[in-house]
Amino acid sequence: MTLKKLLLPVTTMILAIALIMTGVYAYRIKRDYDVLTLSLLDENRDQGQLIIDGVNYGNHLTRHDSAQFWIPLDQVMLWKTEGITVSNSGQRIYIDMDKLYFEHEDERIEAFVKTHTSAINMPLHFIEDKPYLSAQTLARLFGYQVKTFDETGSVVFYSEDAPLYETVLSQGTDRYLMIENRNRIKWDSTTQSVKMYVYQKGEGDSYTRVMNESGDVFDIKTGQLSSLMPLSTEIQPYRVETQKVAQPVSLTWEAVESYNQSLNKQDTQFESELNVISPTWFNLNVNGILINSAEIEYVNNAHNQGLAVWGLYKNNFDPDWTQDLLGNTIDQDYSIAQLLYYANFYHLDGINLDFENIYLKDQDALSDYVANMSKILKMNDLTLSMDVTRPRGSDQWSKVYDRAALQSSVDYMVLMAYDEFWASSPLSGPVASIPWTEQSIEWSLETIPAHKLVLGMPYYTRRWEESKQGNSWKKTGSKAITISATENLIEEKSLDISYDEDNGVNYTEYTEEGIRYRIWIEDVLSLEKRLGLANQHRLAGVASWRRGYGNDAFEKSVTEWLNQ
């Protein structure tokens, strides 16, 4: 045997051993790499994921609280790259109508909104000074379904073009983690059959992206997946679906000055005395634009408690903006189309119109505007109510209302029977004496049918300040105070209460440091007198300004009146 023949098996053996050792070494390196990688992984790596149309925008993006999941505006702008504009104030966004989902079961409503609305606006919620929109709002805006995961805070938007599937992983299926979008390492094998959600399907021998019920993300070899069941991506069209209120109406206004106030009240427990809530959500701006501060969870909560929701639309008491609107039919149609859109988006049952301080010369234009608004809103079966002042007052605050014409267009007219003596009144006096209130009702009934007239009642009083000037007292200031604050003040100062026969209300006063303070008291006595007037004149109901100003005794009295 030659040396060459002798060395050949030895060389082969050495090479084989080297290959084996190399494989073992490589395996150990891979094992050590996996162990090290797993040890360095952020245990919160899958927190706050945002997934849209099968694309994962990243981790730690979303935020959530007990009620809602929030998506950062900058990610929304990456998703929807056209048709969204941030307002100059930075407090809201404007979205072009042609970028929105708005399909309605009534073709007339759909056509009117799409024809007359160029854009709608949505308020932003700020968390640590960063703007967000709720996941529910975004899904409704753009016609998506959304699934959220409480444990990780992750959110998945899916649609017909990129559905979300449900599957069950069999026992023993390997799950992989993807590291730095390049390498996959085996995480574990399922020890039992578990439900998973598939949001990104692979093909052939590739990997499919899945989430467990907590929202953690894994890769599964596509061949290991069995049947996939797509979750429904059907988006129901908007529809005529409103809640009517049987008389008597018992309404209160919810004063909302910002979107955050709507959020803060989204899970509120409403008082038993109510069957209608009217949050002050829609404010007239220039060019027929309505500034929107509404919140859908507030509406859902009210509906769950059996209340109808009539969103309030006000003119900001600006006669010039109002005149511009009433003189421009394009702006009028734009404003009405926005009301119709928001009513559908938020599932409103009605609109409460609060237009005050209007030039007398715009009286006919106001009546025409309300008539047209009523015709359009009735297509959606929305209740339309309008707030009016006591007749026979000033031109801009009272005579501007052609009550006979207006009542023919609306379902209800709410008589704001308060501020007989207003904040800047030259004299001190009751917010609404009982004789003055009854006269206001009687004058209103001359042009408004009783079954349409709702009596507005004050849930506040005023503490008047007067200074001595010579031998007399002169009013120098006033402050509106709630019912509870009034009671606390009386108790704190041990004030004596007397009955003011002429005004039909209780009265008290005290003097401190040369200032005389006078209070015509709003209490259960005056409240029940007003409820009696509503019964006597067979009115459609009552309304109170405003929510949060009453107390338990007021709630009890109105509840008993409502259920009698």
Side-chain angles (χ1 to χ4, degrees):
M1 178 181 294
T2 65
L3 181 60
K4 182 178 181 180
K5 289 182 179 181
L6 181 64
L7 291 175
L8 184 59
V10 175
T11 303
T12 303
M13 183 180 296
I14 292 172
L15 288 173
I17 294 172
L19 287 172
I20 292 171
M21 293 302 294
T22 301
V24 170
Y25 182 69
Y27 169 77
R28 287 177 176 173
I29 290 176
K30 178 66 168 60
R31 182 194 62 189
D32 293 344
Y33 171 80
D34 288 353
V35 170
L36 177 62
T37 301
L38 290 174
S39 70
L40 296 176
L41 277 177
D42 177 7
E43 62 181 6
N44 296 317
R45 68 187 184 89
D46 290 333
Q47 294 288 322
Q49 293 188 104
L50 174 61
I51 299 168
I52 306 173
D53 284 335
V55 176
N56 194 325
Y57 282 61
N59 302 331
H60 306 290
L61 294 177
T62 70
R63 304 287 291 269
H64 72 290
D65 50 38
S66 59
Q68 302 208 54
F69 287 75
W70 297 98
I71 312 301
L73 178 60
D74 55 4
Q75 299 301 315
V76 177
M77 302 287 273
L78 289 174
W79 171 24
K80 298 293 182 181
T81 57
E82 296 179 347
I84 299 179
T85 305
V86 180
S87 69
N88 291 334
S89 68
Q91 298 299 305
R92 61 192 60 251
I93 57 170
Y94 287 84
I95 311 172
D96 293 347
M97 189 68 210
D98 61 4
K99 304 299 181 185
L100 299 171
Y101 170 84
F102 187 77
E103 306 298 326
H104 203 286
E105 64 179 13
D106 190 321
E107 293 179 355
R108 300 171 303 164
I109 295 173
E110 183 177 330
F112 186 84
V113 170
K114 289 184 175 179
T115 300
H116 297 289
T117 306
S118 57
I120 60 94
N121 64 88
M122 287 287 158
L124 297 170
H125 175 48
F126 287 82
I127 304 174
E128 297 174 355
D129 297 327
K130 185 174 182 178
Y132 290 77
L133 288 153
S134 77
Q136 185 178 9
T137 293
L138 289 167
R140 287 181 64 77
L141 284 172
F142 299 118
Y144 275 74
Q145 297 284 11
V146 62
K147 181 166 182 59
T148 57
F149 298 84
D150 290 339
E151 189 169 330
T152 59
S154 296
V155 178
V156 180
F157 291 95
Y158 60 99
S159 64
E160 185 176 351
D161 294 333
L164 183 66
Y165 299 88
E166 188 177 289
T167 190
V168 176
L169 295 188
S170 301
Q171 181 177 344
T173 302
D174 292 333
R175 299 188 291 185
Y176 295 81
L177 288 176
M178 188 170 71
I179 308 303
E180 296 178 352
N181 292 326
R182 293 191 301 275
N183 302 309
R184 287 181 176 84
I185 59 173
K186 184 177 175 182
W187 177 250
D188 63 7
S189 298
T190 56
T191 58
Q192 58 185 351
S193 297
V194 292
K195 182 189 292 186
M196 288 281 181
Y197 298 96
V198 175
Y199 69 87
Q200 194 180 83
K201 290 201 303 180
E203 301 294 338
D205 295 330
S206 63
Y207 294 84
T208 288
R209 192 65 47 80
V210 301
M211 305 178 78
N212 63 15
E213 291 193 272
S214 297
D216 300 308
V217 172
F218 304 95
D219 284 348
I220 304 295
K221 286 184 178 178
T222 302
Q224 291 185 287
L225 290 175
S226 55
S227 59
L228 300 179
M229 178 66 67
L231 300 183
S232 174
T233 57
E234 182 181 3
I235 303 297
Q236 294 294 329
Y238 289 93
R239 60 189 53 184
V240 175
E241 188 176 13
T242 59
Q243 181 172 311
K244 296 299 179 182
V245 180
Q247 291 189 11
V249 171
S250 180
L251 173 151
T252 195
W253 288 284
E254 181 90 87
V256 177
E257 301 300 332
S258 68
Y259 176 56
N260 273 347
Q261 290 182 354
S262 294
L263 283 178
N264 291 339
K265 297 175 180 179
Q266 64 183 321
D267 57 356
T268 187
Q269 180 64 42
F270 290 101
E271 295 77 16
S272 62
E273 67 191 89
L274 304 174
N275 52 30
V276 181
I277 186 74
S278 182
T280 60
W281 274 344
F282 308 114
N283 298 329
L284 178 66
N285 203 282
V286 296
N287 302 323
I289 295 171
L290 272 57
I291 301 300
N292 165 33
S293 298
E295 168 51 47
I296 193 168
E297 282 302 322
Y298 180 103
V299 179
N300 292 339
N301 179 45
H303 284 165
N304 289 339
Q305 296 183 48
L307 275 69
V309 182
W310 298 353
L312 183 142
Y313 164 34
K314 67 180 179 181
N315 67 333
N316 277 313
F317 307 161
D318 189 311
D320 293 318
W321 283 4
T322 307
Q323 185 173 73
D324 289 343
L325 174 74
L326 297 178
N328 187 316
T329 56
I330 294 176
D331 288 353
Q332 289 181 46
D333 286 342
Y334 183 23
S335 67
I336 296 170
Q338 289 169 87
L339 282 178
L340 201 52
Y341 177 87
Y342 293 131
N344 279 276
F345 187 90
Y346 294 110
H347 299 309
L348 301 180
D349 306 293
I351 297 296
N352 176 241
L353 188 60
D354 187 23
F355 270 41
E356 303 180 46
N357 192 24
I358 306 165
Y359 295 129
L360 181 59
K361 61 183 178 182
D362 293 324
Q363 183 189 71
D364 291 341
L366 175 64
S367 298
D368 292 342
Y369 176 54
V370 175
N372 188 40
M373 181 189 303
S374 175
K375 180 181 69 174
I376 301 300
L377 297 185
K378 290 307 175 189
M379 293 193 302
N380 214 130
D381 200 30
L382 292 159
T383 299
L384 179 60
S385 60
M386 185 172 185
D387 308 330
V388 293
T389 56
R390 163 188 165 100
R392 305 182 192 180
S394 66
D395 288 353
Q396 290 186 204
W397 291 93
S398 183
K399 293 178 183 177
V400 67
Y401 302 115
D402 183 345
R403 291 167 177 80
L406 292 168
Q407 68 83 22
S408 66
S409 299
V410 303
D411 298 289
Y412 297 103
M413 299 196 80
V414 185
L415 171 62
M416 297 181 288
Y418 37 79
D419 281 354
E420 176 184 1
F421 291 83
W422 58 100
S424 58
S425 171
L427 300 175
S428 305
V431 168
S433 67
I434 301 305
W436 179 88
T437 300
E438 183 164 22
Q439 186 181 62
S440 300
I441 294 171
E442 292 170 348
W443 285 355
S444 297
L445 289 173
E446 292 175 3
T447 51
I448 304 170
H451 70 273
K452 286 191 174 185
L453 187 62
V454 174
L455 175 62
M457 309 182 299
Y459 273 22
Y460 65 96
T461 189
R462 284 199 168 88
R463 184 186 66 176
W464 300 92
E465 300 176 10
E466 296 180 346
S467 297
K468 195 69 175 291
Q469 296 188 2
N471 295 322
S472 61
W473 294 89
K474 183 178 180 179
K475 177 251 174 173
T476 54
S478 69
K479 179 181 180 181
I481 53 177
T482 66
I483 304 304
S484 295
T486 304
E487 291 181 343
N488 293 338
L489 182 64
I490 291 170
E491 181 179 358
E492 176 189 335
K493 297 186 178 298
S494 302
L495 302 179
D496 293 329
I497 297 174
S498 60
Y499 180 67
D500 183 336
E501 188 75 36
D502 291 338
N503 289 304
V505 297
N506 286 323
Y507 172 82
T508 190
E509 67 175 59
Y510 63 99
T511 302
E512 285 183 351
E513 298 180 356
I515 303 295
R516 181 170 72 171
Y517 296 93
R518 309 179 72 189
I519 305 172
W520 283 264
I521 303 168
E522 289 298 329
D523 53 15
V524 170
L525 172 69
S526 61
L527 173 68
E528 293 188 344
K529 286 189 176 185
R530 291 189 176 87
L531 296 175
L533 290 175
N535 285 342
Q536 177 187 332
H537 293 281
R538 299 183 179 180
L539 303 185
V542 296
S544 58
W545 179 263
R546 63 181 175 117
R547 182 167 184 246
Y549 278 15
N551 61 14
D552 291 344
F554 271 46
E555 180 180 353
K556 181 175 183 293
S557 290
V558 179
T559 300
E560 290 175 352
W561 169 84
L562 186 64
N563 296 326
Q564 65 187 4

